[in-house]
Amino acid sequence: MFIRFKELREEAGISKEDLATAIDVHINIINSIENGYNAPIEALKKYAIYFNVTADYILELTDCKNGYSDR
């Protein structure tokens, strides 16, 4: 379901355990995300689709709602 999470980790050549340590979460969180059992991520996607904004906007990583620079 959330294949990009696993792809990113594998492309970086990092184990689930090392990633969990690096980002300070329990390995069960990594497993849950990579196996598609993380409901908050699914909810985030649905919010973004419903409100036609990016996940980055919801997560306050940008002030740009549509993913494009306002410049």
Side-chain angles (χ1 to χ4, degrees), residues 29-48:
I29 299 294
I30 303 297
N31 286 326
S32 153
I33 291 169
E34 289 190 6
N35 291 318
Y37 299 117
N38 199 305
I41 293 173
E42 189 61 29
L44 174 63
K45 284 174 50 179
K46 289 179 179 185
Y47 260 76

Side-chain angles (χ1 to χ4, degrees), residues 2-12 16 33-35:
F2 303 114
I3 195 159
R4 289 190 181 154
F5 286 92
K6 185 175 182 179
E7 284 178 353
L8 287 168
R9 181 181 58 76
E10 289 179 342
E11 286 173 3
K16 290 179 184 181
I33 291 169
E34 289 190 6
N35 291 318

Side-chain angles (χ1 to χ4, degrees), residues 46-64:
K46 289 179 179 185
Y47 260 76
I49 291 167
Y50 184 84
F51 290 107
N52 195 31
V53 297
T54 65
D56 282 355
Y57 178 78
I58 294 170
L59 295 170
E60 299 180 18
L61 297 173
T62 182
D63 290 330
C64 189

Side-chain angles (χ1 to χ4, degrees), residues 8-28:
L8 287 168
R9 181 181 58 76
E10 289 179 342
E11 286 173 3
I14 189 169
S15 70
K16 290 179 184 181
E17 294 84 3
D18 288 343
L19 177 60
T21 299
I23 65 173
D24 194 28
V25 299
H26 195 278
I27 189 168
N28 290 347

